[in-house]
C-alpha cells in the first residue's frame, strides 16, 4: 500500500524571510505539492544556489543542499545523474538562475536533464539589498541603476524556449492552487521542467507583479491555459484568443459574429513551439493577458537516462566488471 503524506511531513525549521515575501507563499505551495505527489522525503532532494529564495532548502524535510552562487543546476544535474530515481527540485532566483547561473540554466535545458527547475522571479536582487537583476525592466531605478537601467531584460520563457526547453509553466506565488498544479505537472514531466513563479519583493521591489498578485487582478489580467481547452479569459470568460497571421489577437466572444468555435484551443504538447512561445510572451503592456499554467509540455529523451544507459552498454562490452577483474585482464606475476 502506497504511503500517503501531508504537507507537515515536508516542513522543517522556521523560515527567515521578510514578512509578506513571496517565498513564504511558494514554500507553502511546495510543501503541499510534495505531499500530493507522494514521493517520500528520503527520495527527494532540494538544491539551491545563493539568494533570498535559495534559503529554501533549510525549510524542507528532505535531502537538501544550498550550493554556491549560480551553480544549483550543475549540482542538481550531478545528483540526478548519479541517482536517477531521486526527485530533484532546483530552486533559484532570477539573479542566481539567469545571471551568474545563466550558462548552467540554458545547458540544463539543452541537455533536457530531468530536473524540476523553479525560477522565483521578483525582478530584483533582494539578498544584496536592491540591485537590478537580469529580469528588471529597462529604465528600472535601483541602487545599482540610480538613473534607470539601460538594458533590456531576459524574459525567462524566451530563454527557455531558445535553449530548446520542453517544459515551461508559470504561476503567481499568491495563487496556491495554480502553483500546486504546475509543480505537479513539472514532476510528472520527464525532462527539464521550468516553473516561473511571479512574486513580489516587499522591501525592494514591491508591486512588481501587482496586476496579477490577487485574485481579482488575475481575473482581469491573466489567462489560465490548460491543454485541450479553449483560450478564454475575463471575469466572465467573455474574451478569447484567436490567431491573426503569425500572431495572436484578443477578441470578445459574441461580437462581430465570433463564437467559441473561433477561439484557439491550447496545445501544450505541440512539438512546434511557435504558438506556445507567443502565449508565454504575452503582456498587458501589449494589450494581452499574462499566461498562467502549463504553456509547453513536450516529451523528449532525457540526459540522465541517456548517460546511464550508455554506461550500462559500455560495461556490457567490457571483459571486466570489477577492479579485480580489471587487474586480471593483464599478465600477472606472483612475487615470492
Amino acid at each position: 500500500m502506497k504511503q500517503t503524506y501531508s504537507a507537515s511531513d515536508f516542513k522543517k525549521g522556521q523560515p527567515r524571510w521578510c514578512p509578506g515575501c513571496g517565498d513564504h507563499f511558494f514554500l507553502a505551495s511546495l510543501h503541499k505539492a510534495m505531499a500530493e505527489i507522494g514521493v517520500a522525503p528520503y527520495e527527494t532532494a532540494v538544491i539551491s544556489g545563493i539568494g533570498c529564495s535559495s534559503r529554501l532548502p533549510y525549510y524542507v524535510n528532505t535531502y537538501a543542499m544550498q550550493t554556491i552562487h549560480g551553480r544549483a543546476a550543475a549540482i542538481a544535474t550531478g545528483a540526478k545523474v548519479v541517482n536517477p530515481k531521486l526527485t530533484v527540485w532546483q530552486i533559484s532566483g532570477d539573479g542566481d538562475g539567469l545571471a551568474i547561473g545563466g550558462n548552467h540554466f540554458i545547458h540544463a535545458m539543452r541537455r533536457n536533464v530531468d530536473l524540476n527547475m523553479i525560477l522565483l522571479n521578483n525582478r530584483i536582487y533582494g539578498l544584496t539589498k536592491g540591485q537590478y537583476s537580469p529580469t528588471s525592466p529597462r529604465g528600472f531605478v535601483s541602487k545599482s541603476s540610480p538613473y534607470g537601467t539601460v538594458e533590456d531584460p531576459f524574459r525567462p520563457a524566451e530563454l527557455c524556449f531558445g535553449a530548446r526547453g520542453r517544459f515551461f509553466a508559470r504561476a503567481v506565488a499568491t495563487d496556491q492552487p495554480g502553483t500546486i498544479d504546475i509543480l505537479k505537472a513539472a514532476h510528472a514531466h520527464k525532462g527539464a521542467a521550468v516553473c516561473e513563479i511571479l512574486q513580489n519583493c516587499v522591501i525592494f521591489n514591491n508591486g512588481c507583479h501587482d496586476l496579477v498578485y490577487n485574485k481579482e487582478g488575475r481575473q482581469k489580467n491573466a489567462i489560465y491555459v490548460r491543454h485541450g481547452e479553449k483560450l478564454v479569459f475575463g471575469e466572465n470568460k467573455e474574451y478569447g484568443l484567436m490567431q491573426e497571421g503569425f500572431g495572436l489577437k484578443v477578441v470578445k466572444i459574441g461580437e462581430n459574429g465570433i463564437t467559441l468555435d473561433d477561439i484557439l484551443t491550447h496545445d501544450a504538447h505541440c512539438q512546434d513551439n511557435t504558438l506556445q512561445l507567443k502565449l508565454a510572451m504575452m503582456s498587458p503592456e501589449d494589450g494581452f493577458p499574462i499566461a498562467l499554467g502549463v504553456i509547453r509540455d513536450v516529451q523528449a529523451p532525457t540526459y540522465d537516462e541517456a548517460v546511464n544507459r550508455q554506461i550500462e552498454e559500455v560495461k556490457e562490452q567490457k571483459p571486466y566488471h570489477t577492479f579485480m577483474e580489471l587487474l586480471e585482464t593483464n599478465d600477472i606475476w606472483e612475487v615470492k
Side-chain angles (χ1 to χ4, degrees):
M1 183 177 178
K2 184 177 179 181
Q3 184 174 349
T4 58
Y5 297 95
S6 66
S8 61
D9 292 318
F10 294 91
K11 293 181 179 180
K12 180 182 178 182
Q14 180 61 45
R16 297 180 61 186
W17 291 309
C18 301
C21 174
D23 292 334
H24 289 288
F25 297 108
F26 174 74
L27 178 62
S29 296
L30 180 62
H31 286 150
K32 290 193 174 186
M34 285 178 166
E36 292 184 21
I37 289 167
V39 175
Y42 62 84
E43 294 178 323
T44 304
V46 178
I47 296 171
S48 72
I50 295 296
C52 292
S53 60
S54 292
R55 292 190 58 82
L56 191 144
Y58 295 102
Y59 312 131
V60 287
N61 184 34
T62 65
Y63 288 112
M65 182 178 182
Q66 183 179 30
T67 68
I68 56 178
H69 200 19
R71 304 297 178 253
I75 304 300
T77 296
K80 186 65 181 181
V81 171
V82 170
N83 186 356
K85 294 182 180 179
L86 194 66
T87 293
V88 181
W89 298 88
Q90 177 203 323
I91 311 296
S92 293
D94 45 295
D96 179 71
L98 302 183
I100 189 171
N103 200 43
H104 293 301
F105 178 85
I106 62 173
H107 287 293
M109 293 293 98
R110 178 181 65 83
R111 291 170 173 149
N112 199 32
V113 187
D114 189 15
L115 303 173
N116 305 316
M117 305 176 70
I118 310 304
L119 184 69
L120 297 165
N121 186 5
N122 56 17
R123 298 179 178 174
I124 196 76
Y125 281 103
L127 184 69
T128 51
K129 307 300 182 282
Q131 297 82 9
Y132 74 91
S133 85
T135 57
S136 299
R138 176 179 281 270
F140 182 73
V141 175
S142 72
K143 290 182 178 179
S144 57
S145 56
Y147 304 108
T149 66
V150 293
E151 306 172 10
D152 286 321
F154 272 141
R155 292 183 284 188
E158 190 174 33
L159 194 60
C160 173
F161 281 48
R164 303 190 67 181
R166 274 83 172 189
F167 183 102
F168 182 83
R170 184 186 292 129
V172 181
T174 50
D175 178 12
Q176 187 170 89
T179 301
I180 291 174
D181 282 348
I182 70 166
L183 293 178
K184 291 167 67 176
H187 174 265
H189 175 85
K190 299 305 175 186
V194 174
C195 294
E196 181 188 18
I197 308 297
L198 306 181
Q199 63 178 67
N200 285 342
C201 172
V202 293
I203 304 301
F204 299 108
N205 200 17
N206 196 29
C208 64
H209 297 299
D210 266 2
L211 284 176
V212 291
Y213 221 56
N214 58 44
K215 186 175 181 179
E216 293 73 22
R218 289 190 292 276
Q219 288 178 336
K220 296 178 181 178
N221 302 306
I223 179 172
Y224 284 89
V225 300
R226 297 177 179 86
H227 177 74
E229 296 187 11
K230 292 291 185 178
L231 292 168
V232 295
F233 65 101
E235 295 178 272
N236 300 301
K237 305 299 182 187
E238 67 270 35
Y239 297 102
L241 295 175
M242 289 179 60
Q243 189 169 353
E244 184 176 51
F246 291 105
L248 298 173
K249 69 175 180 178
V250 173
V251 296
K252 189 168 185 179
I253 300 169
E255 288 188 355
N256 302 317
I258 294 172
T259 69
L260 192 60
D261 292 336
D262 299 312
I263 305 302
L264 286 170
T265 299
H266 181 45
D267 185 358
H269 303 326
C270 182
Q271 290 284 344
D272 186 327
N273 65 21
T274 303
L275 284 175
Q276 297 161 355
L277 179 59
K278 290 185 181 302
L279 287 172
M281 299 293 285
M282 293 190 306
S283 167
E285 296 175 357
D286 302 317
F288 289 93
I290 296 173
L292 303 175
V294 178
I295 297 171
R296 178 168 172 80
D297 184 357
V298 174
Q299 294 297 326
T302 65
Y303 176 85
D304 39 290
E305 287 182 346
V307 167
N308 281 281
R309 188 182 308 114
Q310 188 178 68
I311 290 172
E312 293 304 316
E313 291 171 354
V314 172
K315 283 169 62 177
E316 289 178 1
Q317 298 170 10
K318 295 291 183 181
Y320 51 84
H321 302 89
T322 66
F323 182 66
M324 285 306 299
E325 289 180 2
L326 170 62
L327 294 179
E328 292 170 357
T329 58
N330 298 311
D331 294 335
I332 299 174
W333 293 271
E334 184 176 348
V335 179
K336 295 184 179 179

